[in-house]
Amino acid sequence: MPLERNGELIATAAGAAVGHPAAAVAWLARRRAARGHGLTAGQVILSGGLTEAIPVAPGDVIVASFDRLGTIELACR
């Protein structure tokens, strides 16, 4: 999956769904609790992201192309 911002390649990724996304969040919560930490209100958790979160700004155009699925484009206002 190539990920572009304003026509510039900013990330690539490959992966497949492995189980329910909520299972990943539960694993994260247990793992952090075991280390004396928890999840706090307002935290952003990507339970199924193929890439890290990327910043966007008004005017940005984000394009992600998925093999066998197609392309999605997001125009930020």
Side-chain angles (χ1 to χ4, degrees):
M1 179 209 73
L3 182 62
E4 300 176 357
R5 179 177 47 217
N6 303 325
E8 177 185 345
L9 181 65
I10 57 172
T12 59
V18 179
H20 196 284
V25 177
W27 174 88
L28 176 63
R30 286 191 302 274
R31 180 81 169 191
R32 290 189 52 84
R35 295 180 177 199
H37 304 284
L39 301 178
T40 57
Q43 279 184 304
V44 175
I45 300 170
L46 299 177
S47 64
L50 291 175
T51 67
E52 64 182 309
I54 60 161
V56 296
D60 283 348
V61 176
I62 309 300
V63 178
S65 300
F66 299 89
D67 187 38
R68 296 182 303 232
L69 293 175
T71 299
I72 186 167
E73 181 175 310
L74 169 70
C76 302
R77 295 197 268 173

